[in-house]
Amino acid sequence: IPLPDPGEGGPVYPGGGWPSPSTSRVRVLNAAYNYPALRVTIGNTRFSNRLNYASVTNYGRVPTGYQTVTITAPNGRVYLRRSMPFQTNGLTTLAVVNAPGGLGLLQIPDSCCSPGNGMASFRVGNLAYNSGPLDVLMSDGRVVYSDLRFKEVAAFRRIAPGTYQFFYADVNQAPMPPAMGIDTMDPSWLGVYPPFQTFGSLYLDVSGGEVYTVYLLQNGPGRNNIQNMILVD
């Protein structure tokens, strides 16, 4: 079937051929505490044969539309099988998380506008099933995010290059305005712990132009036993 002439309706593809199928880019993160390594398949694409806890795959491509996600043990035991939508030209992390009585899936958009001017981008996501709502704050008292609940991933913020120390706590304080970026912290605050109970901390060296996502993962059976997983894109 001949293609239409330019301007006569319908797309004309370079070279006179048909376009390749639309795809979506996705990676898989294993945040399922107390499970063995996972085998992950999306549609007809095997993403991992043994994805250990607190590990993430590289981005791979899957056809857009609804695809069946299958999570199994290495011995073939099926933990979860679910049909999920994948958008054209999408960029997502698919997190395997704990759920009541088994496993669940969480799709997390990874697209982020470049902050420009030598800045970086920063966000925190709570994938710790054993945690309550957490505040993310700095040792100088600024609250970056408040009431970050399980399966909630905060919006990206601009952050200036430098060295930072963040803490996880429940302080019931108002967060910084959403549009406000995170500027550099006075070095005298590094190593200074807040005068209240914290559930963990994070040292982060930030370089301009990078995109930082810090995922909080479960690190024990107790309440608010958490650990950091830092991804830099």
Side-chain angles (χ1 to χ4, degrees):
I1 302 175
L3 293 171
D5 292 331
E8 292 187 355
V12 178
Y13 299 105
W18 296 105
S20 59
S22 298
T23 59
S24 185
R25 294 177 61 204
V26 60
R27 64 185 175 185
V28 182
L29 187 157
N30 183 357
Y33 176 76
N34 208 28
Y35 274 79
L38 302 176
R39 180 181 297 168
V40 183
T41 302
I42 302 177
N44 296 322
T45 302
R46 178 69 58 81
F47 272 72
S48 177
N49 283 320
R50 295 186 64 87
L51 185 61
N52 292 313
Y53 181 63
S55 298
V56 65
T57 69
N58 294 323
Y59 284 105
R61 293 188 180 274
V62 298
T64 57
Y66 279 85
Q67 302 293 331
T68 299
V69 180
T70 304
I71 310 294
T72 67
N75 63 8
R77 176 189 174 188
V78 177
Y79 291 127
L80 178 66
R81 182 177 286 121
R82 180 177 301 168
S83 179
M84 304 189 73
F86 294 89
Q87 296 182 346
T88 301
N89 297 323
L91 184 68
T92 58
T93 293
L94 183 63
V96 185
V97 297
N98 295 92
L103 296 179
L105 295 172
L106 178 66
Q107 280 183 308
I108 304 166
D110 287 336
S111 297
C112 175
C113 295
S114 173
N117 297 323
M119 301 286 280
S121 295
F122 171 80
R123 67 176 176 177
V124 178
N126 186 355
L127 304 183
Y129 182 74
N130 62 329
S131 74
L134 298 176
D135 300 319
V136 181
L137 63 152
M138 302 164 69
S139 51
D140 59 9
R142 286 176 286 174
V143 178
V144 182
Y145 300 110
S146 64
D147 291 333
L148 199 63
R149 300 173 184 272
F150 173 57
K151 296 201 297 185
E152 183 178 358
V153 180
F156 281 108
R157 283 184 179 271
R158 287 162 42 94
I159 184 170
T163 300
Y164 296 84
Q165 187 174 19
F166 298 95
F167 294 93
Y168 311 122
D170 182 7
V171 297
N172 195 29
Q173 293 178 201
M176 300 162 51
M180 181 180 292
I182 306 170
D183 57 14
T184 52
M185 188 169 68
D186 189 324
S188 64
W189 286 103
L190 293 176
V192 177
Y193 278 70
F196 42 76
Q197 182 182 10
T198 61
F199 309 128
S201 63
L202 167 71
Y203 269 94
L204 187 66
D205 290 319
V206 175
S207 299
E210 302 286 6
V211 178
Y212 296 88
T213 298
V214 179
Y215 287 114
L216 307 183
L217 307 183
Q218 187 167 342
N219 191 32
R223 179 76 164 173
N224 291 327
N225 289 150
I226 57 177
Q227 67 184 57
N228 296 302
M229 181 179 182
I230 304 171
L231 300 183
V232 184
D233 298 317

